[in-house]
Amino acid sequence: MIQSAQVAPTPSLAERARARELRGPELAAALRAEPELAGIDLSGADLDGADLTGLTLFKATLAGASLRGATLDGAELTGADLQGVDLERASARRVGFGHADLGEVRAFEADLSDATLSGADLSAASFHCATLTGARLREANLS
């Protein structure tokens, strides 16, 4: 009798990112290859130095992720959970952060020029030495 081999399911991209099997530029390349990123859970992912230019991560979860020195220019993160994300020296020009949770975000020397932060939760966020020229903050929670 032939026994069938049990094949373990291949971990998803999000699972591999959370386990830190994929990091930085390698993870960014894998994200670019994904057809659908809305709602993806990348909690705690290491995206340091990654190029996420123009990616749509609508309602994604990146809580606790590190995006130090990453490029997010033109990305769409509307409704995303970015609680506690590290954006130190990141370029986030023209990023859509509308209604996103950026509570406790650390954006030291980040460039958020022309970013949309309307309706976003910015409570306890730190934008020390960050550039916010032209950023839209209408109805954002700044307390």
Side-chain angles (χ1 to χ4, degrees), residues 26-99:
E26 183 182 23
L27 176 53
L31 288 169
R32 289 194 178 287
E34 281 291 306
E36 179 59 50
L37 295 171
I40 192 167
D41 184 353
L42 297 171
S43 300
D46 178 350
L47 285 156
D48 292 347
D51 183 359
L52 304 174
T53 302
L55 281 184
T56 297
L57 296 162
F58 181 73
K59 291 192 174 182
T61 300
L62 288 113
S66 182
L67 290 133
R68 288 175 159 219
T71 302
L72 297 106
D73 298 344
E76 184 55 58
L77 291 153
T78 298
D81 178 358
L82 300 160
Q83 182 95 21
V85 165
D86 187 350
L87 289 170
E88 181 177 327
R89 294 189 176 98
S91 180
R93 303 174 77 139
R94 299 172 314 284
V95 172
F97 289 115
H99 301 281

